[in-house]
Amino acid sequence: MKQIHVGLLGCGTVGTGVARLLINNRDLLRARVGADLNLKRVADIDTETDRGVAFDPGVLVSDAGQVLNDPEIQIVVEMIGGEGIAKEFIHQAIQKGKHVVTANKALLAGKGNELIRAARKAGVELAYEASVGGCMPIIKTLRESLVGNRIHAMTGILNGTCNYILTKITDEGSAFESALAEAQAEGFAEADPTLDVEGYDTAHKLAIINALAYGMEINLSDIYVEGITGITPEDIDFAREFRYKVKLLAIGKDKGDRVEARVHPTMIRDSNPLFNVGENLNAVTISADAVGEMMLYGYGAGMMPTGSAVVGDIVDIARNILTGAGSRLPLLSYQPDAIRKIPVMPVEEIETNYYFRFAAADRPGVLSTIAGILGKFGISIASVHQKGRKIDGAVPIVMLTHRAREADVNKALAEINGLEAVSETPVLIRIEDENSD
Ligand code: HSE
């Protein structure tokens, strides 16, 4: 039986998952692929830690060169992460004519266009299913299953750490810091958790799937990003009263000659299928012309779920090698000459529904002044709620709006913030409600 040799660079959490699947499920994979996938070499600076997997002698080495320079290895799996040496090794592998599998969303979001050009030029595969949504086959779904569809919109919970933190605060009243510490202990937070909680990890993933869905180059820098660190238990409690939950969403929408690309905390109604996606789970809803609405759901991080996606990519490449199919799929879903530089809509131009919370003096006329300013900027109020009474006289006034333009909202909130009767910076949370006015 033909053997296909695989080399692994980096054997941390996900790398270990890949090694376990390739070794423990070797017979199963052989039966499905029709060739033996041999994990020939694994390079990691740590060759001591027990990965719970029985490597043959000489497989685990500290020198990446033993993977990159081995002419027998046809598939290199980059599991180092980050944008430094990982990029260098991927380029080296491509130059040597090796196919590459990676889960490195930060690298793809930042340098994906360059890496894809290099892979195309060398005629090799660059596979990256595990870079978005862990085990959820979102890349395959966009590139293959939905190839006949025009995609209208995607809305995703794409960061397990943020979803875990928001779920713990919502369901158990946990403190932000303790929920984050738990996510770190579970191993799904990034090495630098600010990438998670400030929304950048989600933005990396949105940049990748927007490119695939809409036929644009990967564009990270124009994505509007807001994390979850400003979300208070008070706002989560108000959300619950209105049958909303707060989720960190990645939103990518086709707007004709532009796309929306934004990441921010968002209130969603209990009728939204993302409402019950809790803990560290991920999900993405896709709206497309043929399928209507659909959703993918599963673990977006972790050793085995992410390892599963990587092994799926390895097998795709192995099957291409076996059948001589070459690079069967365009790396970025569209043919290179069909990929456009589609501009991202500035966030000031989006229109959506809003939740506002004001800390206002509890005296006659304040509410009407605030409502008057909103009216002046064309913002229509859907409901108003005033809660309790604080000792210093400031009370939270919560308003939900009909659809409004973000630029108008910004102007109105700036004016309201300047009122003597308003003691704190107003809180704004966008609401995603496709069924609203
Ligand atoms: N830090 C990421 C998360 C890992 O929390 O979802 C998967 O990309």
Side-chain angles (χ1 to χ4, degrees):
M1 182 176 271
K2 188 170 167 51
Q3 263 201 329
I4 293 177
H5 299 280
V6 177
L8 181 57
L9 296 173
C11 199
T13 304
V14 180
T16 297
V18 174
R20 285 188 188 173
L21 285 174
L22 289 177
I23 291 171
N24 299 342
N25 291 355
R26 190 167 179 167
D27 291 345
L28 176 74
L29 287 163
R30 198 183 287 129
R32 287 179 174 162
V33 179
D36 180 44
L37 296 180
N38 176 38
L39 182 58
K40 186 172 181 195
R41 199 144 291 127
V42 176
D44 194 287
I45 43 174
D46 171 10
T47 56
E48 298 301 318
T49 301
D50 178 8
R51 269 88 173 178
V53 58
F55 290 120
D56 287 337
V59 169
L60 185 58
V61 297
S62 59
D63 173 20
Q66 290 195 45
V67 171
L68 293 164
N69 299 322
D70 185 328
E72 271 194 338
I73 291 177
Q74 288 180 279
I75 304 173
V76 170
V77 182
E78 181 276 308
M79 295 284 116
I80 298 165
E83 296 175 64
I85 193 70
K87 179 181 157 207
E88 177 56 33
F89 285 163
I90 289 177
H91 269 300
Q92 282 186 33
I94 289 171
Q95 296 323 317
K96 289 173 191 295
K98 298 181 190 305
H99 304 287
V100 174
V101 179
T102 180
N104 194 333
K105 59 259 159 134
L107 180 59
L108 286 166
K111 302 282 182 237
N113 296 317
E114 167 194 326
L115 291 169
I116 283 168
R117 273 193 292 274
R120 264 193 217 120
K121 198 165 163 215
V124 297
E125 293 281 357
L126 176 62
Y128 50 91
E129 180 66 67
S131 65
V132 184
C135 69
M136 291 192 311
I138 177 68
I139 307 295
K140 198 178 269 287
T141 299
L142 291 172
R143 266 200 326 182
E144 300 183 57
S145 317
L146 298 187
V147 69
N149 285 250
R150 192 173 295 280
I151 311 283
H152 299 313
M154 298 177 294
T155 311
I157 294 172
L158 297 177
N159 184 271
T161 302
C162 288
N163 205 35
Y164 187 82
I165 292 170
L166 291 171
T167 303
K168 290 285 164 189
I169 298 174
T170 305
D171 295 352
E172 297 170 26
S174 305
F176 185 99
E177 289 71 22
S178 65
L180 172 59
E182 283 175 42
Q184 288 177 292
E186 294 285 341
F188 41 82
E190 295 300 302
D192 171 5
T194 57
L195 287 174
D196 296 302
V197 297
E198 298 296 354
Y200 298 114
D201 177 77
T202 303
H204 293 152
K205 295 163 181 169
L206 178 61
I208 296 167
I209 61 173
N210 259 0
L212 296 171
Y214 303 124
M216 60 196 285
E217 287 199 324
I218 297 172
N219 178 351
L220 174 66
S221 55
D222 290 336
I223 295 179
Y224 174 77
V225 187
E226 201 182 296
I228 62 167
T229 50
I231 295 297
T232 64
E234 196 175 9
D235 295 309
I236 286 176
D237 286 345
F238 278 124
R240 185 182 293 113
E241 286 187 32
F242 308 130
R243 297 184 12 235
Y244 286 119
K245 274 184 187 168
V246 180
K247 296 285 186 188
L248 183 75
L249 292 192
I251 298 173
K253 293 184 181 175
D254 175 18
K255 291 285 167 183
D257 53 0
R258 298 191 291 177
V259 296
E260 274 187 29
R262 47 192 169 103
V263 172
H264 50 71
T266 314
M267 287 194 184
I268 52 172
R269 180 79 80 177
D270 54 6
S271 54
N272 187 315
L274 297 174
F275 184 89
N276 288 318
V277 176
E279 299 292 329
N280 59 324
L281 282 148
N282 280 200
V284 59
T285 61
I286 304 169
S287 163
D289 59 356
V291 296
E293 302 289 325
M294 62 170 282
M295 181 164 100
L296 298 173
Y297 173 70
Y299 286 107
M303 181 184 288
M304 301 317 292
T306 312
S308 162
V310 172
V311 171
D313 275 347
I314 295 170
V315 166
D316 273 350
I317 294 172
R319 286 175 168 151
N320 284 351
I321 292 171
L322 290 170
T323 56
S327 294
R328 197 176 64 84
L329 297 167
L331 296 181
L332 217 46
S333 191
Y334 286 62
Q335 295 299 329
D337 59 2
I339 294 172
R340 296 176 295 148
K341 280 195 163 65
I342 305 176
V344 169
M345 184 188 275
V347 73
E348 293 75 22
E349 293 180 33
I350 68 159
E351 285 189 11
T352 190
N353 302 53
Y354 292 87
Y355 159 100
F356 301 141
R357 179 168 56 78
F358 305 105
D362 191 10
R363 58 175 191 249
V366 172
L367 188 54
S368 68
T369 304
I370 292 174
I373 294 171
L374 292 172
K376 185 171 93 179
F377 288 100
I379 299 159
S380 169
I381 300 164
S383 62
V384 181
H385 310 260
Q386 182 174 324
K387 291 278 175 184
R389 184 165 211 170
K390 287 186 184 163
I391 293 167
D392 62 4
V395 289
I397 296 173
V398 169
M399 292 184 179
L400 304 182
T401 75
H402 293 292
R403 286 184 95 73
R405 197 164 158 266
E406 180 113 350
D408 298 326
V409 165
N410 289 341
K411 285 184 212 150
L413 293 196
E415 192 166 324
I416 292 168
N417 196 27
L419 295 174
E420 167 276 323
V422 170
S423 54
E424 288 169 23
T425 306
V427 172
L428 168 165
I429 301 176
R430 297 168 193 85
I431 299 171
E432 189 67 12
D433 189 351
E434 287 303 327
N435 296 322
S436 74
D437 46 299

